[in-house]
Amino acid sequence: MKDISASPPAEAPRGNAGAGPARPRRLLVRGSPRRSAPRAAALLPGLALALAVAAAATAVGRLLPVVGGPVAGIALGVLVAVAARPGERTRPGVDFAGRRVLQAAVVLLGARLSLGQVLRAGADSLPVTLVTLTVCLVAAQWIGRRLGVLGDLRTLIGVGTGVCGASAIAAVTPVVGAAGAEVAYAVSTIFVFNIAAVLVFPLLGHLLDMDPHAFGTFAGTAVNDMSSVVAVARAYGGDATDQAVVVKLARTLMIVPICLGLAALARRRAGRAEAEGSTGAGPEDEADAGSGLGRPAPVRITRLVPWFLLGFLALAAAHTAGLLPAAAHGPLGALAGFLITLALSAIGLSTDPARLRRTGPAPLLLGGCLWLVVTATGLAVQFLTGHL
């Protein structure tokens, strides 16, 4: 950083001539090359701040379930960042929570999924799920390019809309290395249209005279976060809630192939950049500079699948095989939810509001377009398959 490297009198007694003395000092502040083993003392201020924000966000989420803890964490984190302007002292802990804690949360998400049960119960909704997801991801890239939305933000909004909102964004973020501002904008966009779904979808279902099973399938495929799915289905009544939750869980499984595909793309880009001798500092990378998450680390040849996705699959497999005690499912799911809230609170704390303003309304417009696309596609597929 400038203020450190520009103070030669303080650095001169510590090392040899040249740039050597400044580099170790900068490593301790920024933590980038030694991020894998940060000092615990350096993490404490930022982690304590993120934990305080996450605790408040969790309370807000309990009072307002439609909002939820993760969205409240992003919002409160941004408010604290604007009002208090946390300094460099909190950066290591905030960065750690925004990256490592987020990866741990993805692993714990597997504890709530019984693969066999969800696949069996959601088999009849699989055509709707696959078609709506495919259409949403293709539309995200096509519409996003025409609106001028950058690549990582297109991906986050597309995956969040097509799969499962904040949880999908949390799972994809470490794979693509999205910037903190992009994550904040994507989660906020998903939240806006979750609220719209709670208000509009029950009325639409009654207008179309949908039975509870059909509406549950529709809600499970067209609404994002689980809390909003439950709110929409309960507002409709009948047995819609059970069907909606099962379809939503089956849809959540799509995180796995999507993360695998994005990891493969990251590996291909890293290999191409290495072959060309390029630093990869394009316009999108410049937009990510200084964010809490930074650029994605190169994907190793021998490890195409990120470690946290392997952990996710292992925990889901353990759940499916009955190796996890039934009493542990609830606490592990609650812990995963809190860790996502903690990580997103940290991302909020590291967000630059000026960058969000410069991004403009295009991402929100993209989210609205995708919400309409998923709604129309879900209804059309159900009509064509005789479920509507």
Side-chain angles (χ1 to χ4, degrees):
M1 291 177 58
K2 198 177 228 178
D3 57 332
I4 294 173
S5 59
S7 50
E11 294 290 280
R14 296 185 57 190
N16 300 325
R23 193 169 293 124
R25 183 92 171 264
R26 190 155 45 229
L27 292 180
L28 291 177
V29 175
R30 302 296 293 183
S32 43
R34 295 170 61 179
R35 190 174 289 156
S36 60
R39 292 183 178 180
L43 297 179
L44 287 178
L47 277 177
L49 178 60
L51 278 168
V53 174
T58 300
V60 171
R62 287 174 179 168
L63 290 173
L64 302 171
V66 173
V67 175
V71 172
I74 281 276
L76 292 177
V78 171
L79 287 176
V80 171
V82 172
R85 297 184 181 276
E88 290 294 325
R89 187 164 173 263
T90 63
R91 182 183 292 275
V94 168
D95 287 354
F96 181 86
R99 182 184 295 270
R100 300 302 183 189
V101 171
L102 187 61
Q103 293 171 343
V106 173
V107 173
L108 291 179
L109 286 174
R112 68 182 186 182
L113 292 177
S114 174
L115 304 182
Q117 178 185 4
V118 171
L119 287 175
R120 286 193 302 271
D124 62 339
S125 67
L126 196 58
V128 184
T129 299
L130 292 178
V131 172
T132 53
L133 176 59
T134 302
V135 170
C136 180
L137 295 179
V138 172
Q141 298 303 314
W142 188 81
I143 298 174
R145 284 194 184 96
R146 277 145 187 81
L147 293 175
V149 180
L150 296 180
D152 284 347
L153 186 50
R154 286 199 307 265
T155 299
L156 293 179
I157 294 175
V159 171
T161 303
V163 185
C164 54
S167 296
I169 292 171
V172 167
T173 293
V175 177
V176 301
E182 293 172 331
V183 176
Y185 210 136
V187 172
S188 301
T189 298
I190 297 302
F191 167 69
V192 168
F193 295 103
N194 277 341
I195 296 299
V198 173
L199 298 175
V200 173
F201 281 3
L203 297 175
L204 181 61
H206 287 299
L207 181 65
L208 297 175
D209 197 25
M210 301 174 72
D211 62 64
H213 185 276
F215 185 83
T217 300
F218 169 61
T221 54
V223 186
N224 301 311
D225 288 311
M226 179 63 83
S227 58
S228 299
V229 169
V230 172
V232 169
R234 282 181 178 169
Y236 195 75
D239 298 325
T241 302
D242 291 341
Q243 176 67 10
V245 168
V246 169
V247 172
K248 176 67 171 61
L249 288 177
R251 181 178 162 203
T252 301
L253 294 177
M254 297 298 106
I255 288 177
V256 176
I258 287 173
C259 284
L260 288 174
L262 291 174
L265 289 175
R267 173 189 170 186
R268 183 183 303 173
R269 284 198 301 266
R272 185 166 58 243
E274 184 178 353
E276 295 173 356
S278 169
T279 60
E284 295 184 22
D285 296 312
E286 291 175 5
D288 290 350
S291 69
L293 296 178
R295 299 184 182 91
V299 181
R300 298 179 186 176
I301 300 298
T302 56
R303 290 181 60 190
L304 175 61
V305 184
W307 73 267
F308 53 88
L309 187 56
L310 290 175
F312 173 94
L313 291 171
L315 208 55
H319 184 172
T320 303
L323 300 179
L324 288 179
H329 296 168
L332 287 176
L335 179 59
F338 180 75
L339 291 182
I340 287 178
T341 300
L342 173 59
L344 293 183
S345 298
I347 289 171
L349 288 168
S350 64
T351 298
D352 180 5
R355 183 174 298 151
L356 286 178
R357 289 194 298 269
R358 290 195 300 270
T359 303
L364 188 63
L365 182 57
L366 172 61
C369 292
L370 295 183
W371 183 66
L372 293 175
V373 165
V374 168
T375 300
T377 303
L379 291 174
V381 174
Q382 281 190 265
F383 177 77
L384 293 174
T385 54
H387 290 85
L388 184 60

